[in-house]
Coordinates of all heavy atoms in Angstrom, one line a residue:
M1 N 32.0 51.8 -2.4 CA 32.9 51.3 -3.4 C 31.9 50.8 -4.5 O 31.0 50.2 -4.3 CB 33.6 50.1 -2.9 CG 34.5 49.4 -3.8 SD 35.9 50.2 -4.6 CE 36.9 50.7 -3.2
A2 N 32.3 51.3 -5.7 CA 31.5 51.0 -6.9 C 31.8 49.6 -7.4 O 32.8 49.0 -7.1 CB 31.8 52.0 -8.0
K3 N 30.8 49.0 -8.1 CA 30.9 47.7 -8.6 C 31.9 47.7 -9.8 O 31.9 48.6 -10.6 CB 29.6 47.2 -9.1 CG 29.5 45.8 -9.6 CD 28.1 45.5 -10.0 CE 28.1 44.0 -10.5 NZ 26.8 43.6 -10.9
I4 N 32.7 46.6 -9.7 CA 33.8 46.5 -10.8 C 33.1 45.5 -11.8 O 32.9 44.4 -11.6 CB 35.1 45.9 -10.3 CG1 35.6 46.8 -9.2 CG2 36.1 45.7 -11.4 CD1 36.8 46.2 -8.4
E5 N 32.8 46.1 -13.0 CA 32.2 45.3 -14.1 C 33.1 44.4 -14.9 O 32.8 43.3 -15.2 CB 31.4 46.2 -15.0 CG 30.4 47.1 -14.4 CD 29.1 46.3 -14.0 OE1 28.9 45.2 -14.6 OE2 28.4 46.8 -13.1
M6 N 34.3 45.0 -15.2 CA 35.3 44.3 -16.1 C 36.7 44.4 -15.4 O 37.0 45.3 -14.7 CB 35.3 45.0 -17.4 CG 34.0 45.0 -18.2 SD 33.6 43.4 -19.0 CE 34.8 43.2 -20.2
A7 N 37.5 43.3 -15.8 CA 38.9 43.5 -15.4 C 39.7 42.8 -16.5 O 39.2 42.1 -17.3 CB 39.1 42.6 -14.1
F8 N 41.0 43.2 -16.5 CA 41.9 42.7 -17.5 C 42.6 41.5 -16.9 O 43.3 41.5 -15.9 CB 43.0 43.8 -17.8 CG 43.9 43.4 -18.9 CD1 43.5 43.6 -20.3 CD2 45.2 42.9 -18.7 CE1 44.4 43.3 -21.3 CE2 46.0 42.6 -19.8 CZ 45.6 42.8 -21.0
S9 N 42.5 40.4 -17.7 CA 43.1 39.1 -17.3 C 44.6 39.1 -17.7 O 44.8 39.2 -19.0 CB 42.3 37.9 -17.8 OG 43.1 36.8 -17.6
L10 N 45.5 39.0 -16.8 CA 46.9 38.8 -17.1 C 47.2 37.5 -17.8 O 48.2 37.4 -18.5 CB 47.8 39.1 -15.9 CG 47.6 40.4 -15.2 CD1 48.3 40.5 -13.9 CD2 48.1 41.5 -16.1
E11 N 46.3 36.5 -17.6 CA 46.6 35.2 -18.1 C 46.2 35.1 -19.6 O 46.9 34.4 -20.4 CB 45.8 34.1 -17.3 CG 46.3 33.9 -15.9 CD 45.5 32.8 -15.2 OE1 44.4 33.1 -14.9 OE2 46.1 31.8 -14.9
I12 N 45.2 35.8 -20.0 CA 44.8 35.8 -21.4 C 45.0 37.0 -22.2 O 44.7 37.1 -23.4 CB 43.4 35.2 -21.6 CG1 42.4 36.2 -20.9 CG2 43.2 33.8 -21.1 CD1 40.9 35.9 -21.2
N13 N 45.4 38.0 -21.4 CA 45.8 39.3 -22.1 C 44.5 39.9 -22.7 O 44.6 40.4 -23.8 CB 46.9 39.2 -23.1 CG 47.7 40.5 -23.3 OD1 47.7 41.3 -22.4 ND2 48.1 40.7 -24.5
D14 N 43.4 39.9 -22.0 CA 42.1 40.4 -22.5 C 41.2 40.8 -21.3 O 41.4 40.3 -20.3 CB 41.5 39.4 -23.4 CG 40.5 40.0 -24.4 OD1 40.3 41.2 -24.5 OD2 39.8 39.2 -25.0
S15 N 40.3 41.6 -21.7 CA 39.3 42.1 -20.6 C 38.1 41.1 -20.6 O 37.7 40.7 -21.6 CB 38.8 43.5 -20.9 OG 39.9 44.4 -20.8
V16 N 37.6 40.8 -19.4 CA 36.5 39.9 -19.2 C 35.6 40.4 -18.1 O 36.1 41.2 -17.2 CB 37.0 38.4 -19.0 CG1 37.7 37.8 -20.1 CG2 37.8 38.3 -17.7
D17 N 34.4 39.9 -18.0 CA 33.6 40.1 -16.9 C 33.7 38.9 -15.9 O 34.4 37.9 -16.4 CB 32.2 40.5 -17.2 CG 31.4 39.3 -17.9 OD1 31.6 38.1 -17.6 OD2 30.5 39.6 -18.6
A18 N 33.3 38.9 -14.8 CA 33.4 37.8 -13.8 C 32.8 36.5 -14.3 O 33.4 35.5 -14.0 CB 32.9 38.3 -12.5
I19 N 31.7 36.6 -14.9 CA 31.1 35.4 -15.4 C 31.9 34.7 -16.5 O 32.0 33.5 -16.5 CB 29.6 35.6 -15.9 CG1 28.7 36.3 -14.8 CG2 29.0 34.4 -16.4 CD1 28.5 35.4 -13.5
E20 N 32.4 35.5 -17.4 CA 33.3 35.0 -18.4 C 34.6 34.4 -17.8 O 35.0 33.3 -18.2 CB 33.7 36.1 -19.4 CG 32.6 36.6 -20.3 CD 33.1 37.7 -21.1 OE1 33.6 38.8 -20.5 OE2 32.9 37.8 -22.3
A21 N 35.1 35.0 -16.7 CA 36.3 34.5 -16.0 C 35.9 33.2 -15.4 O 36.7 32.2 -15.5 CB 36.7 35.4 -15.0
N22 N 34.7 33.0 -14.8 CA 34.4 31.7 -14.3 C 34.3 30.6 -15.4 O 34.7 29.5 -15.2 CB 33.0 31.8 -13.5 CG 32.6 30.5 -12.9 OD1 31.6 30.0 -13.4 ND2 33.3 30.0 -12.0
E23 N 33.7 30.9 -16.5 CA 33.6 30.0 -17.6 C 34.9 29.6 -18.1 O 35.2 28.4 -18.4 CB 32.7 30.6 -18.8 CG 31.3 30.8 -18.4 CD 30.5 31.6 -19.4 OE1 31.0 32.1 -20.4 OE2 29.3 31.8 -19.2
L24 N 35.9 30.5 -18.2 CA 37.3 30.3 -18.7 C 38.0 29.4 -17.7 O 38.8 28.5 -18.0 CB 38.0 31.5 -18.9 CG 37.5 32.3 -20.2 CD1 38.1 33.7 -20.2 CD2 37.8 31.5 -21.5
W25 N 37.7 29.6 -16.3 CA 38.3 28.8 -15.4 C 37.8 27.3 -15.5 O 38.5 26.3 -15.4 CB 37.9 29.3 -14.0 CG 38.3 28.3 -12.8 CD1 39.6 28.1 -12.4 CD2 37.5 27.4 -12.1 NE1 39.6 27.2 -11.4 CE2 38.3 26.7 -11.2 CE3 36.1 27.2 -12.2 CZ2 37.8 25.7 -10.4 CZ3 35.6 26.2 -11.3 CH2 36.4 25.5 -10.4
M26 N 36.4 27.1 -15.7 CA 35.8 25.8 -15.9 C 36.4 25.1 -17.1 O 36.6 23.9 -17.1 CB 34.3 25.9 -15.9 CG 33.6 26.2 -14.6 SD 31.9 26.0 -14.6 CE 31.3 27.2 -15.8
E27 N 36.8 25.9 -18.1 CA 37.4 25.3 -19.3 C 38.9 25.0 -19.2 O 39.5 24.5 -20.1 CB 37.2 26.3 -20.5 CG 35.7 26.4 -20.9 CD 35.5 27.6 -21.9 OE1 36.5 28.1 -22.4 OE2 34.3 27.9 -22.2
G28 N 39.5 25.5 -18.1 CA 40.9 25.3 -17.8 C 41.8 26.3 -18.4 O 43.0 26.2 -18.3
V29 N 41.2 27.4 -18.9 CA 42.0 28.5 -19.5 C 42.6 29.4 -18.4 O 43.7 29.7 -18.5 CB 41.1 29.3 -20.5 CG1 41.9 30.5 -21.0 CG2 40.6 28.4 -21.6
L30 N 41.8 29.8 -17.5 CA 42.2 30.6 -16.4 C 42.6 29.8 -15.1 O 41.8 28.8 -14.9 CB 41.3 31.7 -16.0 CG 40.9 32.7 -17.0 CD1 39.8 33.7 -16.5 CD2 42.2 33.4 -17.5
K31 N 43.6 30.1 -14.4 CA 44.0 29.3 -13.2 C 44.0 30.2 -12.0 O 43.8 29.6 -10.9 CB 45.5 28.8 -13.4 CG 45.6 28.0 -14.7 CD 45.0 26.7 -14.6 CE 45.4 25.8 -15.9 NZ 44.4 24.9 -16.3
D32 N 44.3 31.4 -12.1 CA 44.5 32.3 -10.9 C 43.5 33.4 -10.8 O 43.4 34.3 -11.5 CB 46.0 32.9 -11.0 CG 46.4 33.7 -9.7 OD1 45.6 33.8 -8.8 OD2 47.5 34.2 -9.7
K33 N 42.7 33.3 -9.7 CA 41.6 34.3 -9.5 C 42.2 35.7 -9.2 O 41.5 36.7 -9.2 CB 40.7 33.8 -8.4 CG 41.2 33.7 -7.1 CD 40.2 33.2 -6.1 CE 40.7 33.1 -4.7 NZ 39.7 32.5 -3.8
K34 N 43.5 35.8 -8.9 CA 44.1 37.1 -8.5 C 44.9 37.7 -9.7 O 45.6 38.7 -9.5 CB 45.0 36.9 -7.3 CG 44.2 36.6 -6.1 CD 45.1 36.5 -4.8 CE 44.2 36.2 -3.6 NZ 45.0 36.3 -2.4
A35 N 44.9 37.0 -10.8 CA 45.7 37.5 -12.0 C 44.9 38.5 -12.9 O 44.7 38.3 -14.0 CB 46.2 36.3 -12.8
F36 N 44.3 39.5 -12.2 CA 43.5 40.6 -12.9 C 44.0 41.9 -12.5 O 44.5 42.1 -11.3 CB 42.0 40.4 -12.6 CG 41.4 39.2 -13.1 CD1 41.4 38.0 -12.3 CD2 40.9 39.0 -14.4 CE1 40.8 36.8 -12.7 CE2 40.3 37.8 -14.8 CZ 40.3 36.7 -14.0
I37 N 43.9 42.9 -13.4 CA 44.1 44.3 -13.0 C 43.0 45.1 -13.6 O 42.2 44.7 -14.4 CB 45.5 44.8 -13.5 CG1 45.6 44.7 -15.0 CG2 46.6 44.0 -12.8 CD1 46.9 45.3 -15.6
C38 N 43.0 46.4 -13.2 CA 42.0 47.4 -13.6 C 42.1 47.5 -15.1 O 43.2 47.4 -15.7 CB 42.2 48.7 -13.0 SG 41.1 50.0 -13.5
V39 N 40.9 47.7 -15.8 CA 40.9 47.9 -17.2 C 41.3 49.3 -17.7 O 41.4 49.6 -18.9 CB 39.5 47.6 -17.9 CG1 39.2 46.1 -17.7 CG2 38.5 48.4 -17.3
G40 N 41.5 50.2 -16.7 CA 41.9 51.6 -17.1 C 43.3 51.6 -17.6 O 44.1 50.9 -17.2
K41 N 43.4 52.6 -18.6 CA 44.8 52.8 -19.1 C 45.8 53.2 -18.1 O 45.5 54.1 -17.3 CB 44.7 53.9 -20.2 CG 43.9 53.4 -21.4 CD 43.8 54.5 -22.5 CE 42.9 54.1 -23.6 NZ 42.6 55.1 -24.5
N42 N 47.0 52.7 -18.1 CA 48.0 53.0 -17.2 C 47.6 52.8 -15.7 O 48.1 53.5 -14.8 CB 48.6 54.5 -17.4 CG 49.0 54.7 -18.8 OD1 49.8 53.8 -19.3 ND2 48.7 55.8 -19.4
C43 N 46.8 51.9 -15.5 CA 46.4 51.5 -14.1 C 46.6 50.1 -13.8 O 46.3 49.2 -14.6 CB 44.9 51.8 -13.9 SG 44.4 51.6 -12.1
S44 N 47.4 49.8 -12.8 CA 47.7 48.4 -12.5 C 47.1 48.0 -11.1 O 47.6 47.1 -10.5 CB 49.2 48.2 -12.4 OG 49.8 49.1 -11.5
A45 N 46.0 48.6 -10.7 CA 45.3 48.2 -9.5 C 45.0 46.7 -9.6 O 44.3 46.2 -10.5 CB 44.1 49.0 -9.3
G46 N 45.3 45.9 -8.6 CA 45.0 44.5 -8.5 C 43.6 44.3 -8.3 O 42.9 44.9 -7.5
I47 N 43.1 43.2 -9.0 CA 41.6 42.9 -8.9 C 41.6 41.3 -8.7 O 42.4 40.7 -9.3 CB 40.8 43.3 -10.1 CG1 40.9 44.9 -10.1 CG2 39.5 42.7 -10.1 CD1 40.1 45.5 -11.3
T48 N 40.7 40.9 -7.8 CA 40.5 39.5 -7.6 C 39.0 39.1 -8.1 O 38.2 39.9 -7.9 CB 40.6 39.1 -6.1 OG1 41.9 39.4 -5.7 CG2 40.3 37.6 -5.8
C49 N 38.9 38.0 -8.7 CA 37.6 37.4 -9.1 C 37.1 36.5 -8.1 O 37.5 35.3 -8.1 CB 37.7 36.8 -10.5 SG 36.1 36.4 -11.1
K50 N 36.4 37.0 -7.2 CA 35.8 36.1 -6.1 C 34.9 35.1 -6.6 O 34.1 35.4 -7.6 CB 35.0 37.0 -5.1 CG 35.9 38.0 -4.3 CD 36.6 37.3 -3.2 CE 35.7 36.9 -2.1 NZ 36.3 36.2 -1.0
N51 N 34.9 33.9 -6.2 CA 34.1 32.7 -6.6 C 34.4 32.3 -8.0 O 33.6 31.5 -8.5 CB 32.6 33.1 -6.4 CG 32.3 33.3 -4.9 OD1 32.9 32.8 -4.0 ND2 31.3 34.1 -4.7
M52 N 35.4 32.8 -8.7 CA 35.7 32.3 -10.0 C 36.1 30.9 -10.0 O 35.7 30.1 -10.9 CB 36.9 33.1 -10.6 CG 37.4 32.6 -11.9 SD 38.9 33.4 -12.4 CE 40.1 32.2 -11.9
D53 N 36.7 30.4 -8.9 CA 37.3 29.1 -8.9 C 36.4 28.1 -8.0 O 36.9 27.2 -7.4 CB 38.7 29.0 -8.4 CG 38.9 29.7 -7.0 OD1 37.9 30.3 -6.5 OD2 40.0 29.7 -6.5
T54 N 35.1 28.3 -8.1 CA 34.1 27.5 -7.4 C 33.0 27.2 -8.4 O 32.7 27.9 -9.3 CB 33.5 28.1 -6.2 OG1 32.9 29.3 -6.5 CG2 34.6 28.4 -5.1
F55 N 32.5 26.0 -8.2 CA 31.3 25.6 -9.0 C 30.0 26.2 -8.4 O 29.9 26.4 -7.2 CB 31.2 24.0 -9.1 CG 32.4 23.4 -9.9 CD1 33.5 22.9 -9.2 CD2 32.4 23.6 -11.2 CE1 34.5 22.4 -9.9 CE2 33.5 23.0 -12.0 CZ 34.6 22.4 -11.3
A56 N 29.0 26.4 -9.2 CA 27.8 27.0 -8.9 C 27.2 26.4 -7.7 O 26.6 27.0 -6.8 CB 26.8 27.1 -10.1
T57 N 27.2 25.0 -7.6 CA 26.6 24.3 -6.4 C 27.3 24.5 -5.1 O 26.8 24.3 -4.1 CB 26.6 22.8 -6.8 OG1 27.9 22.3 -7.1 CG2 25.7 22.5 -7.9
D58 N 28.6 25.0 -5.2 CA 29.4 25.2 -4.0 C 29.4 26.6 -3.5 O 30.2 26.9 -2.6 CB 30.8 24.7 -4.2 CG 30.8 23.2 -4.5 OD1 29.9 22.5 -4.1 OD2 31.8 22.8 -5.2
R59 N 28.8 27.6 -4.1 CA 28.9 29.0 -3.7 C 27.5 29.6 -3.4 O 26.5 29.1 -3.8 CB 29.6 29.8 -4.8 CG 28.8 29.8 -6.1 CD 29.6 30.7 -7.1 NE 29.0 30.6 -8.5 CZ 29.5 30.2 -9.5 NH1 30.7 29.8 -9.6 NH2 28.8 30.1 -10.7
K60 N 27.7 30.7 -2.6 CA 26.5 31.4 -2.2 C 26.2 32.6 -3.0 O 25.1 33.2 -3.0 CB 26.5 31.8 -0.7 CG 26.6 30.6 0.2 CD 26.7 31.0 1.7 CE 26.8 29.8 2.5 NZ 27.0 30.2 4.0
R61 N 27.2 33.0 -3.7 CA 27.1 34.3 -4.5 C 27.8 34.0 -5.9 O 28.8 33.4 -5.9 CB 27.8 35.4 -3.8 CG 27.6 36.8 -4.4 CD 28.0 37.9 -3.5 NE 28.0 39.1 -4.2 CZ 28.7 40.2 -3.9 NH1 29.5 40.2 -2.9 NH2 28.6 41.3 -4.7
I62 N 27.3 34.7 -6.9 CA 27.9 34.5 -8.2 C 29.3 35.2 -8.3 O 29.6 36.0 -7.5 CB 27.0 35.1 -9.4 CG1 26.9 36.6 -9.2 CG2 25.7 34.4 -9.4 CD1 26.2 37.3 -10.4
P63 N 30.2 34.8 -9.2 CA 31.5 35.4 -9.4 C 31.4 36.9 -9.6 O 30.5 37.4 -10.2 CB 32.0 34.8 -10.6 CG 31.4 33.4 -10.7 CD 30.0 33.7 -10.3
H64 N 32.3 37.6 -8.9 CA 32.3 39.0 -9.0 C 33.7 39.5 -8.7 O 34.5 38.9 -8.1 CB 31.3 39.7 -8.0 CG 31.6 39.3 -6.6 ND1 31.3 38.0 -6.1 CD2 32.2 40.0 -5.6 CE1 31.6 38.0 -4.8 NE2 32.2 39.2 -4.5
F65 N 34.0 40.7 -9.2 CA 35.4 41.4 -9.0 C 35.4 42.2 -7.7 O 34.4 42.9 -7.4 CB 35.7 42.2 -10.2 CG 36.0 41.4 -11.4 CD1 35.3 41.7 -12.6 CD2 37.0 40.4 -11.5 CE1 35.5 41.0 -13.7 CE2 37.3 39.8 -12.6 CZ 36.5 40.0 -13.8
I66 N 36.5 42.1 -7.0 CA 36.8 43.0 -5.9 C 38.2 43.5 -6.0 O 39.0 43.0 -6.7 CB 36.6 42.3 -4.5 CG1 37.6 41.1 -4.4 CG2 35.2 41.9 -4.3 CD1 37.7 40.6 -3.0
M67 N 38.5 44.6 -5.4 CA 40.0 45.1 -5.3 C 40.7 44.1 -4.5 O 40.3 43.6 -3.5 CB 40.0 46.5 -4.6 CG 39.3 47.6 -5.3 SD 40.1 47.9 -6.9 CE 41.7 48.5 -6.5
S68 N 41.9 43.8 -4.9 CA 42.8 42.8 -4.2 C 43.3 43.3 -2.9 O 43.2 42.5 -1.9 CB 44.0 42.5 -5.1 OG 43.6 41.8 -6.3
Q69 N 43.5 44.5 -2.7 CA 44.0 45.1 -1.5 C 43.5 46.5 -1.4 O 43.5 47.2 -2.4 CB 45.5 45.0 -1.4 CG 46.1 43.7 -1.5 CD 47.6 43.8 -1.5 OE1 48.2 44.8 -1.4 NE2 48.3 42.6 -1.7
H70 N 43.3 46.9 -0.2 CA 42.8 48.3 0.0 C 43.9 49.3 -0.3 O 43.7 50.4 -0.7 CB 42.3 48.6 1.3 CG 40.9 47.9 1.5 ND1 39.7 48.2 0.9 CD2 40.6 46.8 2.3 CE1 38.8 47.5 1.2 NE2 39.3 46.6 2.0
E71 N 45.2 48.8 -0.1 CA 46.3 49.7 -0.3 C 46.7 49.8 -1.8 O 47.4 50.7 -2.3 CB 47.6 49.2 0.4 CG 47.4 49.1 1.9 CD 46.8 47.8 2.3 OE1 47.1 46.7 1.7 OE2 46.0 47.8 3.2
N72 N 46.2 48.9 -2.6 CA 46.5 48.8 -4.0 C 45.5 49.5 -4.8 O 44.6 48.9 -5.5 CB 46.6 47.3 -4.4 CG 47.0 47.0 -5.8 OD1 47.5 47.9 -6.4 ND2 46.7 45.8 -6.3
M73 N 45.4 50.8 -4.8 CA 44.5 51.6 -5.4 C 44.8 51.9 -6.9 O 45.8 51.8 -7.3 CB 44.2 52.8 -4.5 CG 43.8 52.5 -3.1 SD 42.5 51.3 -3.0 CE 41.1 52.4 -2.7
H74 N 43.8 52.5 -7.5 CA 43.9 52.9 -8.9 C 44.9 54.1 -9.0 O 45.1 54.9 -8.1 CB 42.5 53.5 -9.4 CG 41.5 52.3 -9.4 ND1 41.3 51.6 -10.5 CD2 40.6 52.0 -8.5 CE1 40.3 50.7 -10.3 NE2 39.8 51.0 -9.1
S75 N 45.4 54.2 -10.1 CA 46.4 55.3 -10.4 C 45.6 56.6 -10.5 O 44.4 56.6 -10.7 CB 47.2 55.1 -11.8 OG 46.3 55.2 -12.9
D76 N 46.3 57.7 -10.3 CA 45.7 59.0 -10.3 C 45.0 59.3 -11.7 O 44.0 60.0 -11.8 CB 46.6 60.1 -10.0 CG 47.0 60.0 -8.5 OD1 46.3 59.5 -7.7 OD2 48.2 60.6 -8.2
S77 N 45.6 58.7 -12.7 CA 45.1 59.0 -14.0 C 44.0 58.0 -14.6 O 43.6 58.1 -15.7 CB 46.2 59.1 -15.0 OG 46.9 57.8 -15.1
C78 N 43.6 57.1 -13.7 CA 42.7 56.0 -14.2 C 41.2 56.6 -14.4 O 40.6 57.1 -13.6 CB 42.6 54.9 -13.1 SG 41.4 53.6 -13.5
E79 N 40.8 56.4 -15.7 CA 39.6 56.9 -16.1 C 38.4 56.1 -15.5 O 37.3 56.6 -15.3 CB 39.4 57.0 -17.6 CG 39.4 55.7 -18.3 CD 40.7 55.1 -18.7 OE1 41.8 55.6 -18.2 OE2 40.7 54.1 -19.3
V80 N 38.7 54.8 -15.2 CA 37.6 54.0 -14.6 C 37.4 54.4 -13.3 O 36.2 54.6 -12.8 CB 38.1 52.5 -14.6 CG1 37.1 51.6 -13.9 CG2 38.3 52.0 -16.0
F81 N 38.4 54.7 -12.5 CA 38.2 55.2 -11.1 C 37.6 56.5 -11.1 O 36.7 56.8 -10.3 CB 39.6 55.2 -10.3 CG 39.5 55.7 -9.0 CD1 38.8 54.9 -8.0 CD2 40.0 56.9 -8.6 CE1 38.7 55.4 -6.7 CE2 39.9 57.4 -7.3 CZ 39.3 56.6 -6.4
R82 N 37.9 57.4 -12.0 CA 37.3 58.8 -12.0 C 35.8 58.8 -12.3 O 35.1 59.6 -11.9 CB 38.0 59.7 -13.1 CG 39.3 60.2 -12.5 CD 39.9 61.2 -13.5 NE 40.7 60.4 -14.5 CZ 40.9 60.9 -15.7 NH1 40.6 62.1 -16.0 NH2 41.6 60.1 -16.5
E83 N 35.3 57.7 -13.0 CA 33.9 57.6 -13.3 C 33.1 57.4 -12.0 O 31.9 57.7 -12.0 CB 33.6 56.5 -14.2 CG 34.1 56.7 -15.6 CD 33.8 55.6 -16.6 OE1 33.0 54.7 -16.2 OE2 34.3 55.6 -17.7
F84 N 33.7 56.8 -10.9 CA 33.1 56.6 -9.7 C 32.9 57.9 -9.0 O 32.3 58.2 -8.1 CB 33.8 55.6 -8.9 CG 34.0 54.2 -9.5 CD1 35.2 53.5 -9.3 CD2 33.1 53.7 -10.3 CE1 35.3 52.3 -9.9 CE2 33.2 52.5 -10.9 CZ 34.3 51.8 -10.7

């Protein structure tokens, strides 16, 4: 599985990386670590930002994106998925 660099935040209607998502969570802008989807056009694959809602002192790994569910895959036309 390839690394997910960016995801589209449903809460702010914009693309962010996981570190930005964590900063926005600390500022109180983002609330839900599961409110992300793939940045590909016409792709609604769910993405979770792991460790977004934890402080640096409480985690073993920096924030990063993962697929929300294995069954929730990219659309056939997703250009992000085709790059992998």
Side-chain angles (χ1 to χ4, degrees):
M1 177 67 58
K3 184 176 179 182
I4 302 170
E5 299 286 339
M6 300 285 290
F8 185 82
S9 169
L10 299 171
E11 292 181 291
I12 62 170
N13 203 32
D14 199 7
S15 297
V16 294
D17 65 30
I19 300 302
E20 289 173 309
N22 178 247
E23 290 169 359
L24 291 169
W25 171 79
M26 289 190 298
E27 294 169 6
V29 175
L30 295 181
K31 307 283 186 215
D32 186 356
K33 66 182 178 181
K34 294 183 178 188
F36 296 91
I37 60 172
C38 177
V39 294
K41 292 179 184 168
N42 300 317
C43 186
S44 59
I47 295 176
T48 298
C49 188
K50 293 284 286 183
N51 296 331
M52 175 188 94
D53 56 353
T54 58
F55 293 101
T57 55
D58 298 331
R59 63 180 174 236
K60 295 179 182 178
R61 189 168 172 204
I62 64 170
H64 58 283
F65 291 120
I66 61 168
M67 293 298 296
S68 292
Q69 300 172 4
H70 292 291
E71 303 85 37
N72 183 15
M73 302 310 262
H74 296 273
S75 70
D76 292 337
S77 63
C78 178
E79 71 275 7
V80 174
F81 180 67
R82 280 188 278 158
E83 287 180 15
F84 301 144

